[in-house]
Amino acid sequence: MQKELRVAAYAVCVRDDRVLLARWVAGDGARRWTLPGGGMDHGEDPYDTVVREADEETGYVVEPVALLGVDSLRRRYPRRLGAVADFHGLRLVYEGRVTGGALRHEIDGSTDLAAWHPLTAVPDLDRVGLVDIGLDLWRTRPASGHLPGPRPDGER
């Protein structure tokens, strides 16, 4: 079994009862909304990661104003030649405030659109579980930085 670790940082940006999301394009072409953010480069601080990724995916300058929590997920999936990957994703979730820039879409990246969505419309969006996790962290602000109970995406 091949172990894989991915550390990433994401921003929950809420303004005027709307949340900023980026549309992620999966390897199979499926498209689902996610929080702006992504994987850390080696040696990069997660604060700098979320600033860089938000700019790449949305065109905005985002200031991380609070660390909302850390989400940890683990899943296994098949790899080439019959191997199995044991994937562990560690996702740092920040509250972000847009301080500059202009909304634009990423070109030749992992996302293809960026948009503000009313918070009331989020349940009807085709989205990844991280959106619900990030919004739950933003709404509840648990002192531990960890959401109690089952994960919104059914993973653990």
Side-chain angles (χ1 to χ4, degrees):
M1 188 166 308
Q2 182 179 5
K3 294 180 181 177
E4 296 179 6
L5 174 65
R6 182 174 188 264
V7 181
Y10 296 88
V12 177
C13 300
V14 177
R15 181 171 71 188
D16 301 325
D17 293 321
R18 297 179 303 151
V19 62
L20 179 63
L21 299 175
R23 194 171 68 176
W24 173 65
V25 181
D28 65 1
R31 289 166 165 77
R32 296 189 294 165
W33 293 99
T34 188
L35 297 175
M40 286 176 44
D41 292 335
H42 181 79
E44 186 177 36
D45 187 279
Y47 184 98
D48 298 327
T49 299
V50 75
V51 170
R52 174 181 55 78
E53 286 283 345
D55 175 56
E56 289 175 6
E57 294 180 355
T58 71
Y60 285 124
V61 176
V62 171
E63 176 190 4
V65 295
L67 178 62
L68 296 173
V70 177
D71 180 60
S72 179
L73 87 115
R74 196 165 172 194
R75 64 172 71 122
R76 291 193 168 113
Y77 59 90
R79 301 284 286 176
R80 291 186 187 158
L81 305 174
V84 175
D86 179 2
F87 175 82
H88 182 191
L90 189 63
R91 305 181 294 189
L92 290 81
V93 182
Y94 290 89
E95 177 179 16
R97 179 175 55 227
V98 174
T99 61
L103 183 65
R104 64 152 171 72
H105 310 305
E106 185 175 26
I107 305 294
D108 296 326
S110 60
T111 66
D112 68 347
L113 290 176
W116 291 94
H117 296 273
L119 289 169
T120 56
V122 170
D124 297 324
L125 294 175
D126 191 8
R127 65 197 184 283
V128 300
L130 180 62
V131 172
D132 296 330
I133 291 165
L135 286 173
D136 284 350
L137 287 166
W138 177 76
R139 287 182 183 109
T140 63
R141 298 177 184 270
S144 66
H146 187 265
L147 293 172
R151 294 172 54 91
D153 59 9
E155 304 255 351
R156 193 24 99 201

